Amino acid sequence: MLFRQLEYLVALSRERHFARAAASCHVSQPALSEAIRKLEEELDVPLVRRGRKYEGLTPEGERIVVWAQRILADRDALKDEVGALRTGLSGRLRIGSVPTASGAVSLLTGPFLAAHPLVTVEVMADLQSRDILRQLRNFEIDAGLTYLREDLPEDFQGLPLYDERYVLLTAAGDGLGQRPATTWAEAARLPLCLLTRTMQGRRTVDELFTEAGVQPSPRVETDSVGTLFAHVRTGHWASVVPHAWLHVFGVPHGMRAVPLVEPSRTVPVGLVITAREPGSVMARALTDLAGRIDVAGELERLPGHAEGPQRAPTGSGRRRSAPA
């Protein structure tokens, strides 16, 4: 059995098409097909349901793919470990993030790359919480920045980084923009642009509106936090945004970021990796560095603007975790 055969099987499982799998492995389709056929002979089980076109993996094939992903991940971890012992950490660190937390990723990648100059980083910033756990299980990413659930599965470990809270982003001249805080019920009456309902951040926002006894009716929905800022800039809209994004954009001129209360809640966000040992040397190095960085403190330092948000009173709220 060769690593190459396992790589081809994993690629076929991922691409679900022989030609695309072959292209991703930089081989011809006949070469990929023949390698998988020889793997079937060696294991003495059918791995692929074959017809006039690709019809999927057999149950045995689906199970073998899990083992193949694990074996290939262990091979890569071994190579990274040996390389780190010889010349220092090198290779590619793959990070997945939920969109609302992606603004905080640079607080980790900057120091990480400074500490490990031979490493490159790939960030996938448009994943849902469940996608991050799935890709960690499949060894497609090394670490994820996501909501920390109280029921995080045992095969993962999480490192808390900061508590996500939400602010009302509105025009500075708006009446609510002149106040030290505003309620979710008051915010619901504004012309709102919000994230789409498929995103975890939006579902959390909807839960808070529901707890306040109101249902917003946004006329603009988007999967981009940047687009929310752009709409508020026009002066015709207000929005609810994660405070972590103020670290990226600041509070632009002509806008105000007002803490939202009644209820006042926070959602823990952190770094998640698999709990397997020895695991990814990249993930271990990132977790070690993240434990030494005050991410929450850094997120409070807004870039070059005096109109930063004030912290909402916390006496009426409690920490909670968000479902995936």
Side-chain angles (χ1 to χ4, degrees):
M1 186 186 304
L2 301 175
F3 285 127
R4 183 174 63 252
Q5 293 170 297
L6 301 180
E7 290 170 349
Y8 293 171
L9 181 63
V10 170
L12 183 60
S13 173
R14 180 182 66 248
E15 301 294 340
R16 308 190 68 78
H17 190 277
F18 275 102
R20 289 197 299 267
S24 71
C25 295
H26 308 290
V27 298
S28 67
Q29 181 174 332
L32 181 136
S33 298
E34 179 63 15
I36 292 178
R37 186 187 64 78
K38 289 182 177 179
L39 183 61
E40 290 177 313
E41 290 180 356
E42 182 170 352
L43 297 175
D44 196 26
V45 291
L47 302 177
V48 181
R49 298 202 307 267
R50 292 179 173 85
R52 297 187 63 181
K53 60 180 181 179
Y54 175 75
E55 296 181 358
L57 299 180
T58 64
E60 296 89 346
E62 296 285 358
R63 185 59 184 163
I64 297 302
V65 163
V66 175
W67 278 102
Q69 290 170 326
R70 184 178 303 174
I71 291 168
L72 294 172
D74 285 341
R75 176 204 60 182
D76 293 340
L78 174 61
K79 291 169 64 176
D80 289 341
E81 190 89 45
V82 173
L85 292 172
R86 186 176 61 248
T87 61
L89 198 61
S90 64
R92 194 171 190 83
L93 170 66
R94 302 160 302 170
I95 302 175
S97 173
V98 293
T100 52
S102 59
V105 174
S106 63
L107 298 178
L108 301 179
T109 56
F112 188 86
L113 291 173
H116 306 287
L118 299 180
V119 172
T120 59
V121 173
E122 178 183 3
V123 179
M124 288 147 282
D126 193 24
L127 300 179
Q128 296 186 26
S129 296
R130 60 177 176 267
D131 295 328
I132 288 177
L133 297 187
R134 176 182 56 79
Q135 291 196 21
L136 283 169
R137 279 198 177 101
N138 293 342
F139 309 101
E140 297 172 16
I141 58 176
D142 300 295
L145 200 64
T146 184
Y147 302 100
L148 294 183
R149 310 176 340 194
E150 293 178 354
D151 60 342
L152 187 68
E154 292 183 356
D155 51 336
F156 297 101
Q157 61 185 54
L159 174 68
L161 295 179
Y162 67 94
D163 286 340
E164 181 178 270
R165 66 181 190 276
Y166 292 89
V167 297
L168 175 70
L169 191 66
T170 187
D174 182 84
L176 295 182
Q178 303 300 314
R179 294 165 51 177
T182 189
T183 67
W184 288 87
E186 291 169 325
R189 294 194 289 269
L190 298 175
L192 290 174
C193 53
L194 297 176
L195 295 174
T196 60
R197 296 179 187 275
T198 61
M199 300 177 70
Q200 177 63 58
R202 170 62 187 278
R203 294 196 293 271
T204 300
V205 165
D206 283 348
E207 289 172 6
L208 291 167
F209 274 122
T210 298
E211 188 167 342
V214 293
Q215 290 295 328
S217 299
R219 296 186 62 194
V220 177
E221 295 180 311
T222 176
D223 62 356
S224 164
V225 177
T227 301
L228 297 180
F229 275 78
H231 276 77
V232 176
R233 181 181 285 278
T234 67
H236 301 302
W237 306 94
S239 187
V240 176
V241 300
H243 89 286
W245 274 92
L246 300 181
H247 178 79
V248 178
F249 295 119
V251 182
H253 180 72
M255 299 185 200
R256 284 281 291 170
V258 184
L260 283 159
V261 297
E262 299 181 18
S264 296
R265 296 291 180 84
T266 60
V267 183
V269 174
L271 192 66
V272 176
I273 65 173
T274 61
R276 293 181 69 238
E277 291 294 342
S280 163
V281 64
M282 291 286 187
R284 295 204 312 270
L286 180 64
T287 303
D288 180 63
L289 178 137
R292 303 194 303 270
I293 296 177
D294 181 12
V295 173
E298 289 293 331
L299 290 176
E300 297 302 324
R301 300 185 181 93
L302 303 190
H305 203 289
E307 289 190 88
Q310 301 297 312
R311 271 197 176 274
T314 57
S316 60
R318 66 186 185 277
R319 177 179 295 188
R320 69 184 183 93
S321 26

